[in-house]
Amino acid sequence: MNIYEVAKKAGVSIATVSRVINNSPNVRPETREKVEAALKELNYRPNAIARSLAANTTKTIGVLASDVRDSYYANAVYILEQEFRMMGYDMILCNTGGELEKRKKYMGLLLEKKVDGMVFVGSVFKEKKDNTHIMDVSEVVPVVMLNSSLQGNNIYSVVCDDQLAAFKVVESLASRGHREIAYVYDVDSFSGLAKLNGYYSGMQAAGLPIRQEWIIRTESGINGGYMALIRLMEMQASCTAIFTSEDILAAGILKGLLAKGKKVPDDVAVFGYNDSVLARCTTPELSTVDNKVGVLAREAARMLCKVLDGEDTPHHKIIEPELVFRESCP
Amino acid sequence: MNIYEVAKKAGVSIATVSRVINNSPNVRPETREKVEAALKELNYRPNAIARSLAANTTKTIGVLASDVRDSYYANAVYILEQEFRMMGYDMILCNTGGELEKRKKYMGLLLEKKVDGMVFVGSVFKEKKDNTHIMDVSEVVPVVMLNSSLQGNNIYSVVCDDQLAAFKVVESLASRGHREIAYVYDVDSFSGLAKLNGYYSGMQAAGLPIRQEWIIRTESGINGGYMALIRLMEMQASCTAIFTSEDILAAGILKGLLAKGKKVPDDVAVFGYNDSVLARCTTPELSTVDNKVGVLAREAARMLCKVLDGEDTPHHKIIEPELVFRESCP
DNA sequence: CTGAAAGCGCTAACAT
DNA sequence: ATGTTAGCGCTTTCAG
């Protein structure tokens, strides 16, 4: 079933059929009706591949995220898909994992599939040294980075101000009388660094002592948090508050604290990051940072669509995070 | 940059270039080298769209899931993508939400994009009355259903035996001396019904009294669980165990129980479903059913790939769930 | 082993 | 307002 058969049945040329399909205004109403009748009758469905080849646009976006099983990425991917869909785009999803080489491979594959644009979800996409692979991609299609950024002609970014968020967390912890605040994190990506910086500057601004041994890098996941807490305990840390870069780490810390007989928040206050469902499932519930992943995703999608529509849009947007106070630090 | 330029540079015909790209054996080694040199030099990248049009296969699979933000779907989507990728397929992801009409629309769009096959994730995809839309799709491309099933020539399915799982949960609760077991669930999809049936038959097999008012349908999410518990409390239910169709409901129930001053598992045992990360974040940690979504997804992907390769494969696979005992029901 | 040529189904000038 | 036609970049007979 193709445009030719429809044309034959309707007694018109394929150009006319194409016109009514793409509802071009230049078609006489009667003609349009004839064609539409044929369309119905033959149960015609346009072939998007052929259209892509001819029109040189696939109406599909490539989305790279390291792992959708992480709720942050899942949220981003969900919103991206909804937004793109609304604008008539499909989304090819790639879970790239951590390795640079794998990511490069995915970018290549997406380029072969002729996606109209790409979005990279997460600050892990910005390499410390060399980002030429991203620059290369951006020579071909527009790129938007969600929660990391890179300077470039055809590169756009929308980020949450994680440094500010961390700063504020420390600030409000300090205002609650905490002077000894530990920080536990897992990765030192772009946003990981921003948070760490926020912690430092927050401590400084509040005039609190920074103790390097209380800044702990641990593995990802609930166990990472647990182990960090154990380490803190073993060094008899006197901290009265623990701030983490991820809710899941905070969950592990809560577990450890419980095991050690510490009361939260009375003995130790705990602050998470992400405002994931997790934060409402722990006991006590977690105070956390809402880093607005939904907003970031929506903005990212809209930016890309604008670029593709030839409208202009700022290359960089910053979204303000928000602190959410729950039981672990009321 | 296309096959013509490569051909010119290598001094061969486009057919030959095509052959070396698809490494057909019928190419003289020297010729192959010449072509490969040109490929390198021109930095050639095949155009997958053109290839799709000519070869009548896109090497992409359409995946429908109601919402990737739910960790069950996220897990499925992740594994599907990894497996398909390994076999050389990309994946277009659609979050269909709950409405039938929306799902139909997505199926149509995927058909236009000429996906080579589709997978429907979740038992919500089987409608109670009319599944002709799925049959229609299966006329065009093979369909595999993940955790629901439908009879059909070109339809494949892999399901977890949720009924068995629920049966076993009740059985083991009974063996721990529980005689009064409540059941809380949110949706009555294919698998929702299976679980409910398992609960019934488990209760019967154990000779326990079934009380309709202890079988509670509530809304999805942590609040749904909380509210169900409150209802139970208001009717002064004497149940000593509560089984839920989702971990997140169990989390809400735990919250409610805590609020009401009940000890878990001493006063009331709680059993969840899914073995999500959640189950390890609550206090106490949740006993739950591992319904093997990763295995389902892997099998689903492999089935589809086999079908696409023309190999044969059973139309239906059943995976056995596994109970995981943690603190909420040791 | 290699090349010529006919599509795949559609869009987009360009004519009429 | 409608039709003709030349691609889009590749695969795939079919000859040679």
Side-chain angles (χ1 to χ4, degrees), chain A residues 3-4 18 44 51 54:
Chain A
I3 219 178
Y4 287 90
S18 178
Y44 172 80
R51 185 204 296 263

Side-chain angles (χ1 to χ4, degrees), chain B residues 185-252:
Chain B
Y185 68 107
D186 52 358
V187 292
D188 49 7
S189 58
F190 181 78
S191 84
L193 260 21
K195 295 173 194 174
L196 191 54
N197 283 336
Y199 168 78
Y200 277 121
S201 57
M203 293 295 275
Q204 260 157 16
L208 303 182
I210 293 176
R211 304 191 40 178
Q212 287 303 327
E213 67 275 24
W214 291 1
I215 300 177
I216 297 186
R217 172 160 182 177
T218 186
E219 67 181 44
S220 293
I222 190 166
N223 266 329
Y226 187 87
M227 284 160 39
L229 188 276
I230 298 303
R231 265 210 269 163
L232 244 15
M233 283 313 196
E234 278 169 355
M235 60 174 90
Q236 318 239 7
S238 54
C239 53
T240 61
I242 305 176
F243 176 32
T244 69
S245 66
E246 299 287 336
D247 283 340
I248 186 85
L249 293 179

Side-chain angles (χ1 to χ4, degrees), chain A residues 64-84:
Chain A
L64 303 200
S66 48
D67 189 338
V68 268
R69 291 173 302 182
D70 178 307
S71 77
Y72 182 84
Y73 296 113
N75 273 295
V77 163
Y78 176 83
I79 300 292
L80 285 171
E81 195 257 341
Q82 298 293 307
E83 292 288 328
F84 282 131

Side-chain angles (χ1 to χ4, degrees), chain B residues 106-158:
Chain B
Y106 284 119
M107 292 178 196
L109 290 173
L110 288 176
L111 253 21
E112 293 186 5
K113 284 269 169 120
K114 299 293 168 191
V115 295
D116 289 342
M118 298 182 30
V119 6
F120 302 156
V121 184
S123 66
V124 287
F125 277 92
K126 174 161 184 184
E127 303 297 326
K128 275 169 198 65
K129 331 94 200 255
D130 182 14
N131 285 293
T132 48
H133 56 294
I134 299 183
M135 304 305 292
D136 289 350
V137 168
S138 76
E139 303 269 296
V140 188
V141 294
V143 165
V144 8
M145 306 185 67
L146 193 155
N147 215 31
S148 63
S149 70
L150 204 59
Q151 205 64 228
N153 217 344
N154 210 12
I155 300 181
Y156 300 80
S157 58
V158 38

